[in-house]
Amino acid sequence: LIIYVDDMIITRDDEKEIFRLQNHLATKFDMKNLGGVKHFLSIEVARSKKGICLSKHTQPDIAYVVSVVS
């Protein structure tokens, strides 16, 4: 279970347990199932028959721009 602000990822090899956990959490919180994760914290998640691939895209460094503007 990974939680960041208002996003949550549930991962496990047992789909019945994932469903059970989702149902339990739904009794306490308003939740939506948005399907499989594609991006999380600027990390792209790609799936294939071989497994999962994580790719971190570089973000522009705004520190310089902020220092110039300020």
Side-chain angles (χ1 to χ4, degrees), residues 8-54:
M8 175 173 38
I9 296 174
I10 301 172
T11 181
R12 188 175 172 125
D13 58 355
D14 186 346
E15 289 189 36
K16 287 181 182 179
E17 283 298 311
I18 290 174
F19 185 71
R20 187 186 68 76
L21 178 58
Q22 286 174 331
N23 286 337
H24 175 71
L25 291 171
T27 65
K28 305 290 182 185
F29 307 100
D30 290 328
M31 294 176 42
K32 289 183 192 175
N33 186 342
L34 300 176
V37 64
K38 294 181 178 119
H39 290 89
F40 189 72
L41 299 177
S42 301
I43 298 171
E44 181 181 357
V45 180
R47 290 182 178 82
S48 71
K49 292 180 180 179
K50 294 181 180 181
I52 295 175
C53 177
L54 303 177

Side-chain angles (χ1 to χ4, degrees), residues 50-64:
K50 294 181 180 181
I52 295 175
C53 177
L54 303 177
S55 174
K56 174 90 173 148
H57 293 292
T58 57
Q59 303 262 335
D61 185 7
I62 64 168
Y64 174 73

